[in-house]
Amino acid sequence: MAKTVIVSCGTAIATSTVAAKAIEEACKEAVISVITKQCKGQEIPELLKQGADLIVTTSTLRFDPGIPVIKGLAFLTGIGTDAVVKEIIAVSYTH
């Protein structure tokens, strides 16, 4: 069954697109079926109602979503992206 990953940034355009593509490629290589859903931070609660396994965000969540949250700032800065991708894969295997 595919894992659903919510990918959020400020505008749901540039950074979330880069992050979503990187997540999709890394998961494909790790043989993990994944569906990414891009959104703005304030849209996360609505997407959670549809079901999700993980959130990757460049902003701070002000609530507990009840699923793992990974800071995706590396996708914005380009520093530490490999480590974040490895963390996403690890969480995807365990949840």
Side-chain angles (χ1 to χ4, degrees):
M1 178 173 233
K3 300 288 184 175
T4 300
V5 180
I6 296 173
V7 184
S8 80
C9 69
T11 61
I13 299 173
T15 306
S16 63
T17 300
V18 170
K21 294 301 175 196
I23 292 165
E24 291 166 2
E25 289 174 13
C27 287
K28 183 177 179 179
E29 289 177 16
V31 193
I32 298 170
S33 179
V34 67
I35 298 167
T36 58
K37 296 184 178 183
Q38 295 171 237
C39 69
K40 298 176 188 175
Q42 64 263 33
E43 297 170 336
I44 292 173
E46 192 61 36
L47 284 179
L48 284 171
K49 293 176 186 176
Q50 299 171 18
D53 300 292
L54 172 66
I55 297 170
V56 178
T57 182
T58 59
S59 58
T60 302
L61 293 185
R62 301 192 194 296
F63 66 97
D64 179 2
I67 60 174
V69 178
I70 295 176
K71 298 288 183 190
L73 192 58
F75 293 109
L76 186 61
T77 65
I79 300 169
T81 306
D82 289 343
V84 173
V85 168
K86 286 179 184 177
E87 185 179 0
I88 291 166
I89 290 170
V91 169
S92 295
Y93 275 126
T94 60
H95 284 85

